Amino acid sequence: MSMQDTASSGVALWRLVADGIERGIADGRFAAGDKLPGEMEIAETYRVNRHTVRRALAALAERGLVRAERGSGTYVEAQKLAYPLRSRTRFSEIVGAEGREPHGRLIEATGDVATRELARELGLKTGAPLVRIEAIRLADRTPICVSTTWLSADLFPDAGAVFAATRSMTKLLAHYGVRDYRRGATRITAGIVDATDAARLDLALGRPILVVDATDHDLTGKPLVTKHSRFAAERVEFLVES
Amino acid sequence: MSMQDTASSGVALWRLVADGIERGIADGRFAAGDKLPGEMEIAETYRVNRHTVRRALAALAERGLVRAERGSGTYVEAQKLAYPLRSRTRFSEIVGAEGREPHGRLIEATGDVATRELARELGLKTGAPLVRIEAIRLADRTPICVSTTWLSADLFPDAGAVFAATRSMTKLLAHYGVRDYRRGATRITAGIVDATDAARLDLALGRPILVVDATDHDLTGKPLVTKHSRFAAERVEFLVES
DNA sequence: TGAAGTTGTCTATTATCATAGACAACTTCG
DNA sequence: CGAAGTTGTCTATGATAATAGACAACTTCA
């Protein structure tokens, strides 16, 4: 540090700038997708040289927190949520483990009837009565995924109301006496978000999504719920344990 | 940092070493007066050059945390407790504000009679019955001062037992209904520790002490207690607000 | 007294930190 | 298109950070 006027602190200036910007991202002053102030402006606010700001931004970019676009500006990258896919998958636990605040919101809960595919997944007959739950899951107020969940209306009456109250699939199942459950095979595909999901996920049209289809079973192997989830690809990355 | 193998963190190595040693002092691994490991040994444990260790030690020495003695070693300086002298002076608050753990220990509580000076300070008649309390005050297990406190035996019967239970003059006074009190004039002198106090303060003979005489009054100005305190000069510095 | 161990000081080298200025390459918007 | 604003890259300079080696000055202890 060539700060002739100040005693050396042992902490590089660019580090202080980077920490300051990161704090701004963490506490929401800069939201995901926001454009940061220009390098010159940041340099002025921190009273440092533009190159020092660039060093700070480079460090943040390497960690994936920001992304610079030449001629346009530097933008806050939505930090991708590391989402491990295991037999025991609980959204709230995964989000909480990342130090973020999990949150669920019910969009609607309606009755439905089983298609042949749904019936096969849930071990029911085609046309059997189902409860369909549409929900959004968020981490730190950022939408991560919308999911459509089907349950047997016979086994889980009023499931919609219970989910609305608990906002958690785990708690919903617990309400019906399911103490533990496991995820069966998980199918992952990718696609382009449709208008409805784009609005729900606060995602621009044309952006890619990760589509996950999975069925949860109780410990005896009996199917409980089957889900069709659409994840904002730019906000999540799945981790599959080897 | 010329660590070719590691990505630069923006925090100087010497700072990490200094912080590590300071933590060792704070949590008691290195007590006041202890000899630190040799510069070479520290360099090996932190895997840095000896000069880097010297940079760290120099920073700590400048802050008064350690003191190097050529040919002998580097020693932990008893950190001087910043002790502001205000009308509202509470040992536990002062020590706590420094991030240290205040502690009091009763040595003895006996009856006494007022000398002419004590009587004048406390607004009593010469020969009036007093309670005399001898106590040690510590910060993080380091003795800071021994103090002799006199109270009227008529106004504060069994004061010794109450202090033994509460270990706090503030709580003692509160026990007798004194909700708040203020410090009157404070006289500060210096002297050489005597054998008794040296043992109680864990101080070498011949070391200087700060002697404080003060009387606390209630909010109407009535004298409550008068004290004669001896502070280990090497462990405390008084701050008088301008 | 002398050896061993300690801190203090010196020179030297390399990498990083920070500043400064200039210009290129690119985007945005009127 | 063209001006304004933005990020990217280059050169240059001086101060710190970290390493390395050598030796002096001093303390401790057998």
PDB file of all heavy atoms in Angstrom, chain A residues 187-214:
ATOM      1  N   ARG A 187     -35.092 -37.108 -12.278  1.00  0.00           N
ATOM      2  CA  ARG A 187     -34.791 -36.844 -13.680  1.00  0.00           C
ATOM      3  C   ARG A 187     -34.567 -35.361 -13.853  1.00  0.00           C
ATOM      4  O   ARG A 187     -35.363 -34.543 -13.386  1.00  0.00           O
ATOM      5  CB  ARG A 187     -35.931 -37.321 -14.580  1.00  0.00           C
ATOM      6  CG  ARG A 187     -35.987 -38.840 -14.726  1.00  0.00           C
ATOM      7  CD  ARG A 187     -37.019 -39.245 -15.745  1.00  0.00           C
ATOM      8  NE  ARG A 187     -38.325 -38.650 -15.430  1.00  0.00           N
ATOM      9  CZ  ARG A 187     -39.096 -38.063 -16.317  1.00  0.00           C
ATOM     10  NH1 ARG A 187     -38.714 -37.986 -17.589  1.00  0.00           N
ATOM     11  NH2 ARG A 187     -40.257 -37.566 -15.972  1.00  0.00           N
ATOM     12  N   ILE A 188     -33.456 -34.994 -14.489  1.00  0.00           N
ATOM     13  CA  ILE A 188     -33.115 -33.598 -14.697  1.00  0.00           C
ATOM     14  C   ILE A 188     -33.073 -33.303 -16.176  1.00  0.00           C
ATOM     15  O   ILE A 188     -32.380 -33.990 -16.934  1.00  0.00           O
ATOM     16  CB  ILE A 188     -31.742 -33.258 -14.076  1.00  0.00           C
ATOM     17  CG1 ILE A 188     -31.712 -33.625 -12.606  1.00  0.00           C
ATOM     18  CG2 ILE A 188     -31.430 -31.772 -14.269  1.00  0.00           C
ATOM     19  CD1 ILE A 188     -30.353 -33.482 -11.968  1.00  0.00           C
ATOM     20  N   THR A 189     -33.813 -32.309 -16.600  1.00  0.00           N
ATOM     21  CA  THR A 189     -33.724 -31.843 -17.984  1.00  0.00           C
ATOM     22  C   THR A 189     -33.591 -30.328 -17.953  1.00  0.00           C
ATOM     23  O   THR A 189     -33.619 -29.717 -16.886  1.00  0.00           O
ATOM     24  CB  THR A 189     -34.976 -32.239 -18.789  1.00  0.00           C
ATOM     25  OG1 THR A 189     -36.122 -31.655 -18.148  1.00  0.00           O
ATOM     26  CG2 THR A 189     -35.152 -33.741 -18.833  1.00  0.00           C
ATOM     27  N   ALA A 190     -33.443 -29.754 -19.116  1.00  0.00           N
ATOM     28  CA  ALA A 190     -33.350 -28.301 -19.200  1.00  0.00           C
ATOM     29  C   ALA A 190     -34.320 -27.808 -20.246  1.00  0.00           C
ATOM     30  O   ALA A 190     -34.729 -28.557 -21.139  1.00  0.00           O
ATOM     31  CB  ALA A 190     -31.944 -27.855 -19.549  1.00  0.00           C
ATOM     32  N   GLY A 191     -34.724 -26.565 -20.109  1.00  0.00           N
ATOM     33  CA  GLY A 191     -35.661 -25.999 -21.074  1.00  0.00           C
ATOM     34  C   GLY A 191     -35.638 -24.488 -21.004  1.00  0.00           C
ATOM     35  O   GLY A 191     -34.744 -23.905 -20.382  1.00  0.00           O
ATOM     36  N   ILE A 192     -36.590 -23.888 -21.652  1.00  0.00           N
ATOM     37  CA  ILE A 192     -36.735 -22.436 -21.631  1.00  0.00           C
ATOM     38  C   ILE A 192     -37.974 -22.108 -20.809  1.00  0.00           C
ATOM     39  O   ILE A 192     -38.997 -22.769 -20.916  1.00  0.00           O
ATOM     40  CB  ILE A 192     -36.866 -21.880 -23.064  1.00  0.00           C
ATOM     41  CG1 ILE A 192     -35.624 -22.231 -23.890  1.00  0.00           C
ATOM     42  CG2 ILE A 192     -37.104 -20.367 -23.043  1.00  0.00           C
ATOM     43  CD1 ILE A 192     -34.366 -21.599 -23.375  1.00  0.00           C
ATOM     44  N   VAL A 193     -37.816 -21.088 -20.000  1.00  0.00           N
ATOM     45  CA  VAL A 193     -38.918 -20.745 -19.096  1.00  0.00           C
ATOM     46  C   VAL A 193     -40.135 -20.274 -19.900  1.00  0.00           C
ATOM     47  O   VAL A 193     -39.988 -19.613 -20.937  1.00  0.00           O
ATOM     48  CB  VAL A 193     -38.456 -19.658 -18.104  1.00  0.00           C
ATOM     49  CG1 VAL A 193     -38.245 -18.327 -18.808  1.00  0.00           C
ATOM     50  CG2 VAL A 193     -39.433 -19.505 -16.952  1.00  0.00           C
ATOM     51  N   ASP A 194     -41.327 -20.640 -19.438  1.00  0.00           N
ATOM     52  CA  ASP A 194     -42.519 -20.131 -20.105  1.00  0.00           C
ATOM     53  C   ASP A 194     -42.974 -18.857 -19.393  1.00  0.00           C
ATOM     54  O   ASP A 194     -42.410 -18.469 -18.364  1.00  0.00           O
ATOM     55  CB  ASP A 194     -43.638 -21.182 -20.142  1.00  0.00           C
ATOM     56  CG  ASP A 194     -44.171 -21.539 -18.785  1.00  0.00           C
ATOM     57  OD1 ASP A 194     -44.054 -20.732 -17.829  1.00  0.00           O
ATOM     58  OD2 ASP A 194     -44.713 -22.639 -18.645  1.00  0.00           O
ATOM     59  N   ALA A 195     -43.957 -18.197 -19.961  1.00  0.00           N
ATOM     60  CA  ALA A 195     -44.337 -16.875 -19.462  1.00  0.00           C
ATOM     61  C   ALA A 195     -44.811 -16.932 -18.010  1.00  0.00           C
ATOM     62  O   ALA A 195     -44.475 -16.067 -17.189  1.00  0.00           O
ATOM     63  CB  ALA A 195     -45.424 -16.279 -20.351  1.00  0.00           C
ATOM     64  N   THR A 196     -45.583 -17.952 -17.690  1.00  0.00           N
ATOM     65  CA  THR A 196     -46.111 -18.062 -16.333  1.00  0.00           C
ATOM     66  C   THR A 196     -44.987 -18.218 -15.312  1.00  0.00           C
ATOM     67  O   THR A 196     -44.914 -17.489 -14.317  1.00  0.00           O
ATOM     68  CB  THR A 196     -47.048 -19.283 -16.241  1.00  0.00           C
ATOM     69  OG1 THR A 196     -48.003 -19.208 -17.289  1.00  0.00           O
ATOM     70  CG2 THR A 196     -47.742 -19.307 -14.905  1.00  0.00           C
ATOM     71  N   ASP A 197     -44.108 -19.171 -15.591  1.00  0.00           N
ATOM     72  CA  ASP A 197     -43.003 -19.398 -14.660  1.00  0.00           C
ATOM     73  C   ASP A 197     -42.045 -18.204 -14.623  1.00  0.00           C
ATOM     74  O   ASP A 197     -41.476 -17.882 -13.586  1.00  0.00           O
ATOM     75  CB  ASP A 197     -42.243 -20.664 -15.040  1.00  0.00           C
ATOM     76  CG  ASP A 197     -42.998 -21.926 -14.646  1.00  0.00           C
ATOM     77  OD1 ASP A 197     -43.973 -21.800 -13.879  1.00  0.00           O
ATOM     78  OD2 ASP A 197     -42.602 -23.005 -15.093  1.00  0.00           O
ATOM     79  N   ALA A 198     -41.870 -17.555 -15.785  1.00  0.00           N
ATOM     80  CA  ALA A 198     -40.978 -16.393 -15.825  1.00  0.00           C
ATOM     81  C   ALA A 198     -41.462 -15.326 -14.854  1.00  0.00           C
ATOM     82  O   ALA A 198     -40.675 -14.738 -14.110  1.00  0.00           O
ATOM     83  CB  ALA A 198     -40.902 -15.823 -17.238  1.00  0.00           C
ATOM     84  N   ALA A 199     -42.758 -15.097 -14.853  1.00  0.00           N
ATOM     85  CA  ALA A 199     -43.298 -14.102 -13.935  1.00  0.00           C
ATOM     86  C   ALA A 199     -43.115 -14.563 -12.482  1.00  0.00           C
ATOM     87  O   ALA A 199     -42.735 -13.763 -11.613  1.00  0.00           O
ATOM     88  CB  ALA A 199     -44.778 -13.878 -14.239  1.00  0.00           C
ATOM     89  N   ARG A 200     -43.365 -15.821 -12.227  1.00  0.00           N
ATOM     90  CA  ARG A 200     -43.271 -16.323 -10.858  1.00  0.00           C
ATOM     91  C   ARG A 200     -41.841 -16.326 -10.351  1.00  0.00           C
ATOM     92  O   ARG A 200     -41.584 -16.112  -9.174  1.00  0.00           O
ATOM     93  CB  ARG A 200     -43.853 -17.736 -10.784  1.00  0.00           C
ATOM     94  CG  ARG A 200     -45.365 -17.754 -10.966  1.00  0.00           C
ATOM     95  CD  ARG A 200     -45.886 -19.163 -11.093  1.00  0.00           C
ATOM     96  NE  ARG A 200     -47.349 -19.170 -11.150  1.00  0.00           N
ATOM     97  CZ  ARG A 200     -48.075 -20.249 -11.453  1.00  0.00           C
ATOM     98  NH1 ARG A 200     -47.473 -21.390 -11.746  1.00  0.00           N
ATOM     99  NH2 ARG A 200     -49.386 -20.180 -11.465  1.00  0.00           N
ATOM    100  N   LEU A 201     -40.911 -16.596 -11.261  1.00  0.00           N
ATOM    101  CA  LEU A 201     -39.497 -16.660 -10.860  1.00  0.00           C
ATOM    102  C   LEU A 201     -38.796 -15.313 -10.998  1.00  0.00           C
ATOM    103  O   LEU A 201     -37.618 -15.201 -10.678  1.00  0.00           O
ATOM    104  CB  LEU A 201     -38.757 -17.698 -11.716  1.00  0.00           C
ATOM    105  CG  LEU A 201     -39.093 -19.163 -11.464  1.00  0.00           C
ATOM    106  CD1 LEU A 201     -38.450 -20.049 -12.518  1.00  0.00           C
ATOM    107  CD2 LEU A 201     -38.612 -19.574 -10.072  1.00  0.00           C
ATOM    108  N   ASP A 202     -39.522 -14.325 -11.466  1.00  0.00           N
ATOM    109  CA  ASP A 202     -38.912 -13.018 -11.732  1.00  0.00           C
ATOM    110  C   ASP A 202     -37.718 -13.190 -12.651  1.00  0.00           C
ATOM    111  O   ASP A 202     -36.613 -12.728 -12.371  1.00  0.00           O
ATOM    112  CB  ASP A 202     -38.514 -12.329 -10.428  1.00  0.00           C
ATOM    113  CG  ASP A 202     -38.164 -10.870 -10.648  1.00  0.00           C
ATOM    114  OD1 ASP A 202     -38.672 -10.271 -11.618  1.00  0.00           O
ATOM    115  OD2 ASP A 202     -37.365 -10.341  -9.867  1.00  0.00           O
ATOM    116  N   LEU A 203     -37.982 -13.881 -13.748  1.00  0.00           N
ATOM    117  CA  LEU A 203     -36.928 -14.277 -14.674  1.00  0.00           C
ATOM    118  C   LEU A 203     -37.275 -13.718 -16.049  1.00  0.00           C
ATOM    119  O   LEU A 203     -38.440 -13.667 -16.428  1.00  0.00           O
ATOM    120  CB  LEU A 203     -36.871 -15.815 -14.715  1.00  0.00           C
ATOM    121  CG  LEU A 203     -35.600 -16.506 -15.159  1.00  0.00           C
ATOM    122  CD1 LEU A 203     -34.443 -16.121 -14.264  1.00  0.00           C
ATOM    123  CD2 LEU A 203     -35.810 -18.018 -15.107  1.00  0.00           C
ATOM    124  N   ALA A 204     -36.244 -13.288 -16.772  1.00  0.00           N
ATOM    125  CA  ALA A 204     -36.497 -12.760 -18.121  1.00  0.00           C
ATOM    126  C   ALA A 204     -36.930 -13.891 -19.038  1.00  0.00           C
ATOM    127  O   ALA A 204     -36.496 -15.034 -18.885  1.00  0.00           O
ATOM    128  CB  ALA A 204     -35.232 -12.099 -18.665  1.00  0.00           C
ATOM    129  N   LEU A 205     -37.767 -13.541 -19.996  1.00  0.00           N
ATOM    130  CA  LEU A 205     -38.214 -14.537 -20.969  1.00  0.00           C
ATOM    131  C   LEU A 205     -37.015 -15.049 -21.761  1.00  0.00           C
ATOM    132  O   LEU A 205     -36.074 -14.307 -22.033  1.00  0.00           O
ATOM    133  CB  LEU A 205     -39.243 -13.926 -21.926  1.00  0.00           C
ATOM    134  CG  LEU A 205     -40.627 -13.647 -21.319  1.00  0.00           C
ATOM    135  CD1 LEU A 205     -41.496 -12.891 -22.316  1.00  0.00           C
ATOM    136  CD2 LEU A 205     -41.286 -14.961 -20.924  1.00  0.00           C
ATOM    137  N   GLY A 206     -37.081 -16.320 -22.106  1.00  0.00           N
ATOM    138  CA  GLY A 206     -36.010 -16.902 -22.897  1.00  0.00           C
ATOM    139  C   GLY A 206     -34.870 -17.466 -22.071  1.00  0.00           C
ATOM    140  O   GLY A 206     -33.921 -18.015 -22.619  1.00  0.00           O
ATOM    141  N   ARG A 207     -34.940 -17.309 -20.740  1.00  0.00           N
ATOM    142  CA  ARG A 207     -33.848 -17.814 -19.902  1.00  0.00           C
ATOM    143  C   ARG A 207     -34.010 -19.311 -19.672  1.00  0.00           C
ATOM    144  O   ARG A 207     -35.125 -19.833 -19.607  1.00  0.00           O
ATOM    145  CB  ARG A 207     -33.825 -17.099 -18.554  1.00  0.00           C
ATOM    146  CG  ARG A 207     -33.795 -15.589 -18.637  1.00  0.00           C
ATOM    147  CD  ARG A 207     -32.502 -15.073 -19.203  1.00  0.00           C
ATOM    148  NE  ARG A 207     -31.345 -15.582 -18.481  1.00  0.00           N
ATOM    149  CZ  ARG A 207     -30.089 -15.193 -18.712  1.00  0.00           C
ATOM    150  NH1 ARG A 207     -29.846 -14.297 -19.640  1.00  0.00           N
ATOM    151  NH2 ARG A 207     -29.092 -15.698 -18.029  1.00  0.00           N
ATOM    152  N   PRO A 208     -32.880 -19.983 -19.506  1.00  0.00           N
ATOM    153  CA  PRO A 208     -32.965 -21.439 -19.328  1.00  0.00           C
ATOM    154  C   PRO A 208     -33.425 -21.831 -17.918  1.00  0.00           C
ATOM    155  O   PRO A 208     -33.207 -21.098 -16.955  1.00  0.00           O
ATOM    156  CB  PRO A 208     -31.517 -21.893 -19.562  1.00  0.00           C
ATOM    157  CG  PRO A 208     -30.697 -20.712 -19.187  1.00  0.00           C
ATOM    158  CD  PRO A 208     -31.507 -19.499 -19.551  1.00  0.00           C
ATOM    159  N   ILE A 209     -34.056 -22.957 -17.857  1.00  0.00           N
ATOM    160  CA  ILE A 209     -34.463 -23.504 -16.566  1.00  0.00           C
ATOM    161  C   ILE A 209     -34.013 -24.958 -16.463  1.00  0.00           C
ATOM    162  O   ILE A 209     -33.800 -25.634 -17.478  1.00  0.00           O
ATOM    163  CB  ILE A 209     -35.988 -23.443 -16.371  1.00  0.00           C
ATOM    164  CG1 ILE A 209     -36.697 -24.129 -17.540  1.00  0.00           C
ATOM    165  CG2 ILE A 209     -36.469 -22.005 -16.207  1.00  0.00           C
ATOM    166  CD1 ILE A 209     -38.187 -24.276 -17.329  1.00  0.00           C
ATOM    167  N   LEU A 210     -33.835 -25.387 -15.251  1.00  0.00           N
ATOM    168  CA  LEU A 210     -33.565 -26.790 -14.974  1.00  0.00           C
ATOM    169  C   LEU A 210     -34.879 -27.406 -14.511  1.00  0.00           C
ATOM    170  O   LEU A 210     -35.556 -26.858 -13.638  1.00  0.00           O
ATOM    171  CB  LEU A 210     -32.504 -26.933 -13.885  1.00  0.00           C
ATOM    172  CG  LEU A 210     -31.070 -26.672 -14.337  1.00  0.00           C
ATOM    173  CD1 LEU A 210     -30.182 -26.349 -13.151  1.00  0.00           C
ATOM    174  CD2 LEU A 210     -30.539 -27.897 -15.072  1.00  0.00           C
ATOM    175  N   VAL A 211     -35.222 -28.486 -15.122  1.00  0.00           N
ATOM    176  CA  VAL A 211     -36.489 -29.142 -14.795  1.00  0.00           C
ATOM    177  C   VAL A 211     -36.194 -30.444 -14.074  1.00  0.00           C
ATOM    178  O   VAL A 211     -35.423 -31.268 -14.566  1.00  0.00           O
ATOM    179  CB  VAL A 211     -37.321 -29.408 -16.072  1.00  0.00           C
ATOM    180  CG1 VAL A 211     -38.646 -30.056 -15.708  1.00  0.00           C
ATOM    181  CG2 VAL A 211     -37.527 -28.116 -16.840  1.00  0.00           C
ATOM    182  N   VAL A 212     -36.775 -30.580 -12.920  1.00  0.00           N
ATOM    183  CA  VAL A 212     -36.519 -31.766 -12.101  1.00  0.00           C
ATOM    184  C   VAL A 212     -37.833 -32.490 -11.855  1.00  0.00           C
ATOM    185  O   VAL A 212     -38.805 -31.890 -11.390  1.00  0.00           O
ATOM    186  CB  VAL A 212     -35.877 -31.392 -10.757  1.00  0.00           C
ATOM    187  CG1 VAL A 212     -35.741 -32.617  -9.871  1.00  0.00           C
ATOM    188  CG2 VAL A 212     -34.536 -30.729 -10.985  1.00  0.00           C
ATOM    189  N   ASP A 213     -37.842 -33.747 -12.176  1.00  0.00           N
ATOM    190  CA  ASP A 213     -38.992 -34.600 -11.866  1.00  0.00           C
ATOM    191  C   ASP A 213     -38.542 -35.650 -10.876  1.00  0.00           C
ATOM    192  O   ASP A 213     -37.544 -36.336 -11.109  1.00  0.00           O
ATOM    193  CB  ASP A 213     -39.539 -35.269 -13.137  1.00  0.00           C
ATOM    194  CG  ASP A 213     -40.223 -34.260 -14.047  1.00  0.00           C
ATOM    195  OD1 ASP A 213     -41.318 -33.816 -13.700  1.00  0.00           O
ATOM    196  OD2 ASP A 213     -39.625 -33.907 -15.088  1.00  0.00           O
ATOM    197  N   ALA A 214     -39.258 -35.746  -9.790  1.00  0.00           N
ATOM    198  CA  ALA A 214     -38.841 -36.690  -8.755  1.00  0.00           C
ATOM    199  C   ALA A 214     -40.051 -37.144  -7.958  1.00  0.00           C
ATOM    200  O   ALA A 214     -41.069 -36.447  -7.880  1.00  0.00           O
ATOM    201  CB  ALA A 214     -37.822 -36.057  -7.816  1.00  0.00           C
TER     202      ALA A 214
END
